[in-house]
Amino acid sequence: MNVDARELQTNETDDRGRIYLGTEYANKRVTIAVVDVENDQPDERDLAAAYRDASESAESLAEEWGDTSEDAWSELPE
């Protein structure tokens, strides 16, 4: 089977993995080939790394805030 590259289509599936082909294919036999699959959601390792980075940043910000807060309170007149 020869396929013209101009005839290739890229479609997205719904949450159940289905693709709507369109009414022009109604009551016709179609042959579908999956050429490539892209995951549009982040990898679990990427999510874990981002969570660690955010956690470390939050800890650092909390420490900085604590130091700044202590300085501010110590400069207030009693």
Side-chain angles (χ1 to χ4, degrees):
M1 171 184 264
N2 292 327
V3 177
D4 185 351
R6 293 172 293 190
E7 294 177 9
L8 293 177
Q9 295 180 18
T10 300
N11 293 330
E12 294 191 17
T13 60
D14 64 9
D15 60 342
R16 295 181 64 193
R18 298 175 299 189
I19 294 176
Y20 177 72
L21 296 176
T23 56
E24 64 268 23
Y25 297 105
N27 299 317
K28 295 190 173 138
R29 179 184 170 101
V30 296
T31 302
I32 306 294
V34 176
V35 177
D36 186 28
V37 176
E38 294 179 16
N39 187 359
D40 64 348
Q41 300 194 1
D43 181 86
E44 285 185 24
R45 286 178 291 194
D46 294 340
L47 286 175
Y51 180 79
R52 275 193 306 277
D53 290 346
S55 178
E56 290 169 3
S57 294
E59 288 177 14
S60 175
L61 286 172
E63 288 175 11
E64 287 180 35
W65 174 252
D67 294 343
T68 304
S69 178
E70 286 176 21
D71 292 344
W73 281 108
S74 66
E75 292 179 11
L76 290 176
E78 293 182 31

